[in-house]
Amino acid sequence: MYSISEIAEKVDISAHTLRYYEKEGIIDPVRNDSGVRQFDEKHLQWLQFVKKLRETQMPVSQIKEYTRLFLEGEHTANARLNLLEEHQQYIRDQIETLLATDDMLTKKISTYKELMKKSLVK
C-alpha cells in the first residue's frame, strides 16, 4: 500500500490532484482505521492510465464518464470503447496538425537560414 505522497511521487502528480480526482469520483482510495488514504497497485495502474488521458487533453468530465461507465460494469464496454475511440481520433487529428505545423516551421526556418547565409556573404 502507498500513502498519498508515495503514490503522487510514483505517478508524478500532486497530492492535491489526487484529492481532486477523489472528489470527482475518478479514484477511490482505501481508508485505513485512522481514515488515512491508502493506494494499492490497481490504484497505481489506474492513475497512470488517467494521467495519460490527461496528458492527451482528455477533459476531466470525459474521464469521469469513463470511470462511471467502468464502475457500472461490463454491460458498458461498448460505451467505453466508443469514448476511447473518439479520444484516439482526437489524438490522431492533433498529431496530423502538429506534423503539418512542424513541416511548415522546418521550411520557414530553412528560408531564414538561407537568407542569413546570403546576408553574411555580402
Side-chain angles (χ1 to χ4, degrees):
M1 295 296 259
Y2 303 104
S3 69
I4 194 167
S5 59
E6 291 169 331
I7 199 87
E9 185 176 334
K10 280 194 169 293
V11 183
D12 194 27
I13 58 176
S14 70
H16 173 77
T17 298
L18 287 169
R19 288 192 281 287
Y20 172 70
Y21 286 168
E22 181 182 9
K23 179 180 155 263
E24 294 298 316
I26 293 170
I27 188 82
D28 187 21
V30 176
R31 299 274 183 161
N32 68 14
D33 293 338
S34 303
V36 176
R37 292 173 184 89
Q38 295 182 314
F39 301 86
D40 61 19
E41 288 300 318
K42 285 186 179 184
H43 290 112
L44 177 61
Q45 290 172 359
W46 177 253
L47 286 166
Q48 289 168 333
F49 175 65
V50 168
K51 183 180 178 190
K52 286 296 176 197
L53 294 177
R54 288 296 299 136
E55 286 174 347
T56 57
Q57 309 306 307
M58 181 180 273
V60 170
S61 61
Q62 284 184 330
I63 296 171
K64 283 173 61 172
E65 176 65 6
Y66 182 89
T67 303
R68 184 189 68 74
L69 291 167
F70 178 80
L71 293 173
E72 210 172 294
E74 282 305 309
H75 69 281
T76 66
N78 195 49
R80 285 181 278 148
L81 173 63
N82 290 337
L83 197 148
L84 292 177
E85 285 177 335
E86 287 174 13
H87 186 63
Q88 185 178 48
Q89 188 57 54
Y90 168 80
I91 292 168
R92 288 177 175 168
D93 292 346
Q94 289 299 104
I95 290 169
E96 190 176 310
T97 298
L98 289 170
L99 288 171
T101 302
D102 183 58
D103 185 50
M104 185 262 320
L105 287 172
T106 297
K107 290 174 183 169
K108 187 63 99 175
I109 289 168
S110 178
T111 300
Y112 276 111
K113 285 181 176 180
E114 286 299 316
L115 286 171
M116 291 171 76
K117 260 195 236 179
K118 288 178 184 176
S119 69
L120 288 176
V121 172
K122 291 181 181 181

